[in-house]
Amino acid sequence: MGQIVGIDLGTTNSVVGVVEAGRPIVIANSEGTRTTPSIVGFTKDSEIVIGDQARRQLVLNPKNTFYNLKRFVGRQWDELDDISISVPYNVKSNDSGSVRVLSPFTEREYAPEELISSIIRKLVNDAETYLGDTIDSAVITVPAYFNESQRQATKDSAVLAGIKVDRILNEPTAAALAYGFEKSSSNNVLVFDLGGGTFDVSLLKISNGVFDVKATCGDTQLGGNNFDSKIVDWLAEKFLMKYKIDLRRDRQALQRLTEAAEKAKCELSGLQKTKISLPFITTSDEGPLHIEEEFDRKLFESLSQDLLDRLFEPVQIALEDSGWDAEEIDEVVLVGGSTRIPMVQQLVKTLVPKDPCQSVNPDEVVAIGAAIQSGIISGDLRDLLLNDVTPLSLGLETIGGLMKVLIPRNTPIPVRQSDVFSTSESNQSSVVVQVRQGERPLASENKSLGKFRLSGIPPAPRGIPQVQVAFDIDANGLLEVSATDRTTGRKQTVSISGGSNLNEQEINKIIAEAKSKATEDRKKRSVIDRKNNALTLIAQAERRLRDASLEFGPYGAERQQRAVELAIQDVEEFIDDDDPRELEISVSALQEALFGLNRRFAAEKKIENNPLQGIKNTFGSIKDELFSDDYWDDDDDPWDNQMNSNYRNSRYGNSRNEDPWDNDYFL
Ligand code: AMP
């Protein structure tokens, strides 16, 4: 059997690691460097070049050299923003709306996953050469906010490279593993990850070897590249003033400027000043023109002020979401090459009053964590429990268009949650399960992840059939939804791999929108709730009437039965009225009538059990019964019984206990 490696498949650079002699190490590539640029290109002979070689041809061959491919993985064309597609190579949509990149040299279009698979293959080949052994499988890291389809697409890339994926691991979790925080009894860790093109903040709670990602936030359009652009703009503006030529319009000059800017930026992480020299950058009527500039850290910092400001908010949001104060953070981990920038390090210290951990190289810390996880899987290292979280709430649409959340936001995964739902109409033969993701109480405001129908439900009064809906998220964050009719055993399952396709920015936007629309949503929800509660009450009343005719016979409790029937008719009459008052009055009347009927039931029971005691205790005990949990857990009633047993098993709160009329359970 071959070995397992850990791979950090980064937007800008990728790194491969392995556990050797019980220690995680990074494996250098065939060019002798420990990080491999995540770039794939084609030469004019249609030969593929990967990593440093591809990076070297970025300037001369921009149309056939593909970088930032991670931004396209698992995403549809119409989900991409303008910035993502403003690359020098051609990106387009194919007939089914998937992203494709075009190489004029090979005259072919490629799926991003296909090109990424060649990066994985190179990393694996180089690691095999180093190890002198074959590699069968890998642990691959992804950003914590990656949705199902992005995770699935990452797995697909590995499969195309001939590698089995043992685990998709969240990048911040990997970084925390690299520092061995799991060995202390409890730790709150902030992972600050500023790479080449993205910024991610994650808050982890690590307790007795269990990793929980409590919150994530970030900016998918902020990274080292933006700092490079600031220097490029400064250089280009100076040149424009002097020679009236905008170098940014000349693709080749722009590439050279970008490379020089990145080099200067990296040098300023260690030096106070540096020189930028670009001979023969362009020509004018007077001959060749050159750039020769002094550039220092102070100037760099003043140019980058707005970028620094953009680092604040995601940290604040993540802290807010986790419910922690900055003082409660025990450890700060710096990840990504851009955290070497001194002003970024300073800023982190002002956000969290802790000296950040920097002993593991920030470019390699994620790969080291992935290697540790691969060591755990291969048995070379002791096992750990790893939990990541869902970035947004997952649920389904119930009657009235309400969102019933089954898995709340920031729930640790893997997780399985199920609940039982019923029909909203009598003799309803099928139910539609519409899976949604988001924070709004109204389902239509949340993103639809997929929809399926479970049919063949035998005819029955509304509220009687029991359809168990289960959401299952595996350790890789892939969601499977199933619906089972408990009477017939008929089952429908869908894997949501086409997923939500939401990036981190969109996730943050959704959360902010849910907060700002909370009052408006609450009003709309209360209208729907009122109607749904009335429907629930009618279903309850109808069930009680059926019980009554079985218990007492058709005329046994005629007065109470008749009162309930009439009250049901009233509620039905007012249910669609705009004026809520009439509905409220009729609902109260039905509750009262039902109370009367239930009193009759209880009286009957008490007389059976103790004919002398019965009447004396009737009122008190029935009143308690009606408003106690036991009433709703009536053993005679399989529906209630099921609902409540689910509630008790559930890991999270459920409003049913607080509100007996809660009606998120009709499909
Ligand atoms: P990563 O995605 O973690 O590989 O980070 C890549 C980014 O880190 C690129 O934008 C690099 O320019 C940047 N970077 C690498 N080393 C340094 C450094 N010493 N100072 C500033 N930025 C750096």
Side-chain angles (χ1 to χ4, degrees), residues 12-13 195-196 224-225 228 262 265-266 269 336-338 340-341 362-363:
T12 322
N13 293 304
N225 299 343
D228 302 343
E262 186 183 7
K265 173 191 74 176
C266 292
S269 293
S338 302
R340 288 207 178 94
I341 300 174
D363 300 327

Side-chain angles (χ1 to χ4, degrees), residues 289-302:
L289 300 174
H290 319 287
I291 289 180
E292 195 71 34
E293 294 288 349
E294 291 272 337
F295 189 60
D296 64 25
R297 199 186 274 183
K298 223 162 136 201
L299 177 57
F300 175 47
E301 292 179 356
S302 69

